[in-house]
Amino acid sequence: MLFSGLLDLPWWGLVLVAFGVTHITIAAVTIFLHRHQAHRALDLHPAVSHFFRLWLWLTTGMVTKEWAAIHRKHHAKCETAEDPHSPQIHGINKVLWGGVFLYVKEAHHRPETMERYGHGTPDDWVEHNVYSKYALLGLTVTGVSNVVLFGIVPGALIFLTQIAWIPFWAAGVINGIGHYWGYRSWDVPAPDASRNIVPWGILIGGEELHNNHHAFPASAKLSAKWYEFDIGWLYIRVLESLGLATVKKVAPTPRIEAPKPVCERTLQAVIANRYDVLAHYARSLNKTYRQELARLRRWSPRDAEALKPIKRYIVRMQQVSAVERTHIAEALKNSKALATAIAMRDELAAIWARSSASREQLVRQLQDWCHRAESSGVAPLVAFSRRLRSYA
């Protein structure tokens, strides 16, 4: 009874069981809680939906409404003082090792979060009378079942692994490292600091691709580049093939045609593909930077050295302080081409941020932007403007 239960498994069998049950929990979090409940990126068959609810009750004790509400607030208030779990605000160590406590604090001490962001989550009899009312009962059932099936010591170890898995990997790693370290495919608006931790989302169900998710939060698919892999998306496709899931939205795929005059259709395509637009502009800007750096090295090495510290701002749309902005302006004094390209990038990003402007006004602004870009004489900027007019 101490080391074996109804199932007398070897040590490697117990390890497989532990990884298996925790991976089901990861799948339940990413597919049900995250993509289905928090973002409505897909619909699930009631049987699948309730299986995930039951499994999460048994293995985590999490309440669906609390999880969805806190996550929605995180997106709405990202990297601000109201963000429930930003490492930019609370510090990486506090979020990585104690992220679960930030969840508990938000859920139990901020009822206004549940009221404002918890809409549309399960509201049936079993939610009110079992899952929410007896949140810890499920964990008790799982702990006792583990001991009976695998023995006291193996059962207890598997149970401890189960209850620590989500607090560490989801509440800690994704919410902490996913906003602190990694690569960025998309220039999401500041102060959002989201990062893709690794390009292969397997261990944490695809949630490793966190910057992709922040760029396209309503997408059921978290991978975006050819080299990225989202195992959660694989599971969703399997469910969809069985008639158990319906994908409602994925990130847009840019469609490029021959360049044409800017019209409302162009504007719609540019806004829909704005992160792809900015990614290509970053390449254009980087090319301009290299050309200007090479030119200044030949004619003014001192000015070329002054350009080097601002490369990070050039490649990525970074928030800068007033002092940094002064240094950047000083460094750009001898590079009209680069100064023009940076200013026009900020103007382009501002076009789709002007929610109060009419469609006609935005079309005219985009037309004017393209005209000025193609008249600038900056070759990479001219080439980019032509590409911009190719979005369909």
Side-chain angles (χ1 to χ4, degrees):
M1 185 65 181
L2 189 61
F3 291 98
S4 64
L6 296 178
L7 300 177
D8 189 12
L9 299 178
W11 68 268
W12 55 266
L14 296 168
V15 171
L16 288 177
V17 167
F19 274 107
V21 294
T22 52
H23 191 71
I24 295 172
T25 304
I26 286 288
V29 170
T30 187
I31 297 171
F32 173 72
L33 284 181
H34 193 191
R35 308 184 206 201
H36 170 58
Q37 283 291 308
H39 293 290
R40 302 297 180 190
L42 74 154
D43 288 331
L44 291 172
H45 188 280
V48 176
S49 181
H50 203 100
F51 166 77
F52 283 141
R53 286 171 65 191
L54 174 61
W55 185 269
L56 288 167
W57 178 69
L58 289 169
T59 59
T60 69
M62 291 191 298
V63 177
T64 302
K65 183 175 183 176
E66 293 176 356
W67 197 99
I70 292 168
H71 184 74
R72 289 167 181 168
K73 184 177 181 180
H74 161 65
H75 277 271
K77 307 293 183 181
C78 190
E79 322 302 10
T80 69
E82 294 183 76
D83 188 334
H85 46 65
S86 169
Q88 304 295 326
I89 303 298
H90 298 288
I92 183 60
N93 285 324
K94 186 171 184 178
V95 178
L96 179 61
W97 304 110
V100 67
F101 301 112
L102 295 174
Y103 264 98
V104 171
K105 178 182 177 182
E106 188 73 25
H108 293 176
H109 299 286
R110 299 225 164 83
E112 66 275 11
T113 299
M114 304 303 111
E115 182 66 27
R116 182 172 181 181
Y117 298 102
H119 54 83
T121 52
D123 194 32
D124 53 17
W125 184 92
V126 71
E127 186 68 34
H128 289 287
N129 293 282
V130 181
Y131 296 154
S132 296
K133 189 174 183 179
Y134 301 108
L136 297 181
L137 178 59
L139 289 172
T140 304
V141 171
T142 298
V144 172
S145 299
N146 284 355
V147 168
V148 171
L149 290 172
F150 309 113
I152 295 175
V153 173
L157 290 175
I158 291 174
F159 180 63
L160 289 173
T161 302
Q162 286 179 284
I163 62 175
W165 204 256
I166 293 301
F168 177 70
W169 290 108
V173 172
I174 298 302
N175 293 337
I177 295 177
H179 282 262
Y180 194 81
W181 180 89
Y183 71 96
R184 285 166 69 92
S185 294
W186 314 105
D187 273 321
V188 290
D192 189 326
S194 59
R195 299 286 191 274
N196 293 327
I197 302 172
V198 292
W200 312 288
I202 299 173
L203 183 63
I204 322 178
E207 297 293 332
E208 295 92 333
L209 298 163
H210 203 57
N211 174 244
N212 292 356
H213 169 60
H214 271 250
F216 307 103
S219 174
K221 180 183 180 184
L222 304 189
S223 56
K225 305 297 185 181
W226 66 267
Y227 52 83
E228 293 173 340
F229 177 69
D230 168 18
I231 199 170
W233 174 245
L234 174 63
Y235 297 152
I236 289 169
R237 295 290 286 170
V238 170
L239 290 171
E240 191 174 39
S241 70
L242 297 172
L244 299 174
T246 303
V247 173
K248 295 170 66 177
K249 191 171 183 180
V250 295
T253 300
R255 194 158 56 89
I256 304 298
E257 298 177 348
K260 56 191 177 298
V262 173
C263 60
E264 185 168 345
R265 185 163 168 257
T266 314
L267 174 69
Q268 291 172 346
V270 167
I271 292 175
N273 295 284
R274 59 191 177 276
Y275 292 121
D276 184 74
V277 169
L278 287 177
H280 279 86
Y281 198 99
R283 293 172 201 155
S284 171
L285 201 51
N286 199 30
K287 187 174 182 180
T288 305
Y289 172 80
R290 292 196 306 269
Q291 291 175 350
E292 287 297 286
L293 196 61
R295 181 182 69 82
L296 289 173
R297 278 173 176 162
R298 290 195 302 270
W299 299 104
S300 179
R302 184 176 178 180
D303 291 333
E305 286 299 311
L307 275 186
K308 287 183 178 180
I310 69 171
K311 184 177 181 180
R312 183 180 178 187
Y313 172 76
I314 289 171
V315 176
R316 297 290 184 191
M317 295 181 70
Q318 304 285 342
Q319 276 194 319
V320 294
S321 65
V323 174
E324 289 171 323
R325 193 168 289 278
T326 300
H327 289 323
I328 291 167
E330 188 68 27
L332 292 174
K333 276 185 177 179
N334 296 297
S335 178
K336 182 180 177 182
L338 196 53
T340 299
I342 290 174
M344 294 200 71
R345 177 198 58 189
D346 296 340
E347 286 181 32
L348 181 62
I351 288 176
W352 54 70
R354 292 173 184 144
S355 57
S356 60
S358 68
R359 287 281 174 177
E360 291 78 10
Q361 289 173 319
L362 293 176
V363 169
R364 286 198 298 271
Q365 289 167 7
L366 189 58
Q367 288 171 338
D368 176 66
W369 190 96
C370 288
H371 174 73
R372 288 186 291 113
E374 292 175 30
S375 303
S376 67
V378 182
L381 192 52
V382 172
F384 173 80
S385 178
R386 289 172 181 161
R387 177 185 170 84
L388 190 70
R389 293 191 289 106
S390 300
Y391 281 90

